[in-house]
Amino acid sequence: MEITNVSEYEAIAKQKLPKMVYDYYASGAEDQWTLQENRNAFSRILFRPRILIDVSKIDMTTTVLGFKISMPIMLAPTAMQKMAHPEGEYATARAASAAGTIMTLSSWATSSVEEVASTGPGIRFFQLYVYRDRNVVAQLVRRAERAGFKAIALTVDTPRLGRREADIKNRFTLPPFLTLKNFEGLDLGKMDKADDSGLASYVAGQIDRTLSWKDVKWLQTITSLPILVKGVLTAEDARIAVQAGAAGIIVSNHGARQLDYVPATIIALEEVVKAAQGRVPVFLDGGVRRGTDVFKALALGASGIFIGRPVVFSLAAEGEAGVRKVLSMLREEFELTMALSGCRSLKEITRQHIVTDWDSPHALPAPRL
């Protein structure tokens, strides 16, 4: 059966993967309300397409932190990709590079920063969890720098791991033939079996619950790389992030895996964009499955979006070719959405191209006479 959209990969991944692995990738926290809402919220945004515009040439290119990419669609950090496919992060890195876009490598990858760098050229960011042992953090950041990574995406929504009940039921742990490669030499690469989720126990033992804004400042003293703060959902924190020297903000609810009943990221996006006042770029992570979703995020002020689950599901289904296909499908859908909305470049995508169910009846611009 030919795959014609991104969402179709999930069912194939479910068939192929062991239950423990599929559930780890697919599930959210507690009632999984936010997990569904991350998707459903997009359907409450409708288009206001402009017609009779010459759309024979469409330019989707953009720059992120000064790096030119082919489209505003990037790869979010997703952990332990070798559980999905033997080539894991190697395959993902090659697919991202071939598509001319950015891959973010997870701290908890099953391939190291050096291994991913060895796949060849590409613009790559490194997602960072702050461990209690700050020497571990400093060492990891230095290794990412040396391996040619261009930015740090600091995850700030995980002082403790969210309650993911599927992982508790499955007694989730990293399969014995895999390690968290970035921590292998530090004796932090293995995850013990636990009475609940092995990952939750690992986080409880290793990740620093004291993490605060002063650590964002500290990080800037140990690296010259730009720091993206990943996990912002409010205007208040957006303002503090800008003041703290963040180079950008990623609006994220961690794929609905941390605190349930937070808003969908597409709902939280606009308040964060307004608070950032154009001083730093704001990106959206969470729930994107269609080119139309990408357009909606940009219309609400995002500078680009990140995809997570579509990467691991397509990786599980078809390896590198699957990830390449996800990126090309999203690219083609996004290009079509732009054309049918009358937008020839990203700067032509405006708030006027959409209407949301939270707009007041008077929110639309007065007609120009």
Side-chain angles (χ1 to χ4, degrees), residues 33 37 39-48 264 266-268 270 296 300 351 354-364:
W33 181 84
E37 182 67 3
R39 282 295 309 125
N40 294 343
F42 279 103
S43 66
R44 303 202 293 273
I45 303 168
L46 302 179
F47 293 122
R48 301 183 67 245
I266 193 69
I267 303 287
E270 199 164 25
K296 289 169 184 180
L300 286 167
R351 185 63 168 80
I354 57 166
V355 59
T356 72
D357 71 351
W358 59 91
D359 287 330
S360 73
H362 313 294
L364 295 180

Side-chain angles (χ1 to χ4, degrees), residues 17 21 24-25 75-93 103-106 108-111 116 174 178-180 307-308 311-312 315-316 323:
L17 292 171
V21 172
Y24 170 73
Y25 290 143
L75 285 73
T78 47
M80 309 176 221
Q81 292 180 12
K82 282 187 180 175
M83 294 195 308
H85 187 275
E87 291 182 7
E89 294 84 2
Y90 287 78
T92 302
M103 172 194 181
T104 316
L105 183 71
S106 169
W108 296 336
T110 38
S111 314
V116 168
L174 188 62
L178 295 174
T179 59
L180 300 179
I307 51 167
V311 172
V312 287
L315 185 64
V323 183

Side-chain angles (χ1 to χ4, degrees), residues 45-212:
I45 303 168
L46 302 179
F47 293 122
R48 301 183 67 245
R50 301 302 305 276
I51 53 163
L52 292 173
I53 292 167
D54 174 355
V55 290
S56 56
K57 289 190 181 68
I58 303 265
D59 178 14
M60 289 180 284
T61 60
T62 189
T63 57
V64 170
L65 303 182
F67 298 99
K68 191 164 187 186
I69 55 176
S70 67
M71 58 182 174
I73 301 165
M74 297 166 284
L75 285 73
T78 47
M80 309 176 221
Q81 292 180 12
K82 282 187 180 175
M83 294 195 308
H85 187 275
E87 291 182 7
E89 294 84 2
Y90 287 78
T92 302
R94 290 191 295 259
S97 181
T101 193
I102 292 164
M103 172 194 181
T104 316
L105 183 71
S106 169
S107 273
W108 296 336
T110 38
S111 314
S112 67
V113 287
E114 294 83 4
E115 288 172 332
V116 168
S118 78
T119 62
I123 305 156
R124 301 184 187 105
F125 294 171
F126 181 70
Q127 175 271 333
L128 182 67
Y129 282 119
V130 176
Y131 280 58
R132 293 178 183 207
D133 182 343
R134 293 308 164 84
N135 293 327
V136 167
V137 179
Q139 210 177 321
L140 198 51
V141 169
R142 271 197 294 278
R143 281 172 57 198
E145 280 181 325
R146 274 203 300 271
F149 285 69
K150 300 301 185 203
I152 300 293
L154 176 69
T155 297
V156 295
D157 58 11
T158 313
R160 300 173 57 172
L161 203 70
R163 183 176 174 83
R164 307 167 190 178
E165 292 175 6
D167 291 349
I168 296 169
K169 282 188 171 66
N170 294 332
R171 302 278 189 265
F172 173 80
T173 191
L174 188 62
F177 55 90
L178 295 174
T179 59
L180 300 179
K181 261 294 196 311
N182 288 314
F183 300 99
E184 204 174 29
L186 301 160
D187 289 338
L188 296 170
K190 280 290 180 201
M191 206 176 285
D192 300 322
K193 272 253 177 262
D195 289 339
D196 51 5
S197 153
L199 183 63
S201 302
Y202 180 85
V203 168
Q206 300 299 339
I207 302 303
D208 194 345
R209 295 185 185 185
T210 73
L211 189 69
S212 70

